[in-house]
Amino acid sequence: MNFGIVYFSLGSNLGGRERNIASAIEEISTHIGRVNKISSMFESEPIGDKSHPWYLNCCISAFSGLTPNRIMQKCQEIEMKLGRVRGDAKWAPRTIDIDIIFYGDKVVSTPILTVPHPEAHKRLFVLMPMAELAPDFTHPKLRKSVWQLLNECPDTSIVSRPSHSEVNAKAGCHHQADAAL
C-alpha cells in the first residue's frame, strides 16, 4: 500500500467548535490515516451571510494509504457522524466541514472531487494554517508555494488566532503553533 501525505482544512461554526474539530481529528486519525501535524486554530468570519456565526478553522496533515475518492467518502461519513446536515444552502452554518486541500502532488478531477481544492488558494482561513504546516509545499497546479499563495491571496476577510486553544493538546498530536507567519 502506498502512503501519501494529505492536507485537510477543518472548520466549525456551530456548537462546541473546538470539540467538533478535536472529534474530527480523532475520527480522521482512526479512519483515514495517522495525523502528524495540526496547525494553530484560527477564527474567521463566515463566507456569504455575515450574520452567521464565526468559524474556528485549522489545517492538519495525515499519512494515508486510501485513494482520494475513498478519503472524500470517509470525510463525508465523519461529517455526518459529527452532526453535519447537508442542505441546498451554500455556506450554511455547520458543526464540521472537512475539505481535502492537497494529497501530495496528486491532481484529481472527478464529478465529486477536485484536488487540490479549487478555492484553497483564495482563502486566508486555509492558507494561514497551511503556512504553519507546510509553507514550502508547492501547489501541484499553480506551481507556487503555500507561502507565495498566502502573500498573493486576494481574500480580505478577517482571520485571526484566538487567544487559547486546547484542540492540539486534546488530540495528542504535534502542532506548529509557534511557526512565524
Side-chain angles (χ1 to χ4, degrees), residues 14-90:
L14 289 179
R17 299 176 309 164
E18 284 190 63
R19 185 183 66 247
N20 295 339
I21 289 174
S23 296
I25 292 169
E26 290 173 20
E27 291 290 327
I28 288 168
S29 192
T30 300
H31 299 288
I32 295 174
R34 182 177 58 85
V35 173
N36 70 319
K37 289 183 182 176
I38 305 170
S39 74
S40 299
M41 292 293 129
F42 289 83
E43 199 161 37
S44 62
E45 64 182 320
I47 295 175
D49 188 341
K50 300 297 182 193
S51 69
H52 288 166
W54 281 50
Y55 277 85
L56 195 62
N57 303 96
C58 75
C59 285
I60 66 171
S61 62
F63 293 105
S64 181
L66 301 178
T67 65
N69 282 336
R70 186 74 175 128
I71 292 172
M72 169 80 163
Q73 179 185 13
K74 289 288 186 185
C75 287
Q76 290 176 340
E77 290 170 7
I78 292 167
E79 287 175 340
M80 283 182 53
K81 180 178 180 179
L82 297 179
R84 173 151 182 198
V85 177
R86 290 191 180 269
D88 294 332
K90 189 173 185 177

Side-chain angles (χ1 to χ4, degrees), residues 80-130:
M80 283 182 53
K81 180 178 180 179
L82 297 179
R84 173 151 182 198
V85 177
R86 290 191 180 269
D88 294 332
K90 189 173 185 177
W91 301 316
R94 53 201 63 175
T95 54
I96 194 70
D97 185 37
I98 305 171
D99 288 329
I100 304 167
I101 304 302
F102 300 112
Y103 191 141
D105 62 359
K106 290 183 185 340
V107 175
V108 178
S109 183
T110 71
I112 63 163
L113 178 63
T114 302
V115 176
H117 190 287
E119 300 294 318
H121 65 286
K122 301 176 188 173
R123 295 179 174 168
L124 286 175
F125 68 84
V126 172
L127 293 172
M128 289 172 72
M130 268 300 301

Side-chain angles (χ1 to χ4, degrees), residues 3-8 36-37 59-63 100-108 115-117 120-121 126-152:
F3 282 83
I5 190 159
V6 185
Y7 292 97
F8 299 91
N36 70 319
K37 289 183 182 176
C59 285
I60 66 171
S61 62
F63 293 105
I100 304 167
I101 304 302
F102 300 112
Y103 191 141
D105 62 359
K106 290 183 185 340
V107 175
V108 178
V115 176
H117 190 287
H121 65 286
V126 172
L127 293 172
M128 289 172 72
M130 268 300 301
E132 284 187 355
L133 298 184
D136 297 323
F137 180 84
T138 300
H139 190 294
K141 286 182 82 174
L142 301 177
R143 310 308 305 160
K144 293 182 179 184
S145 72
V146 168
W147 186 250
Q148 287 173 294
L149 294 171
L150 176 59
N151 287 323
E152 296 171 4

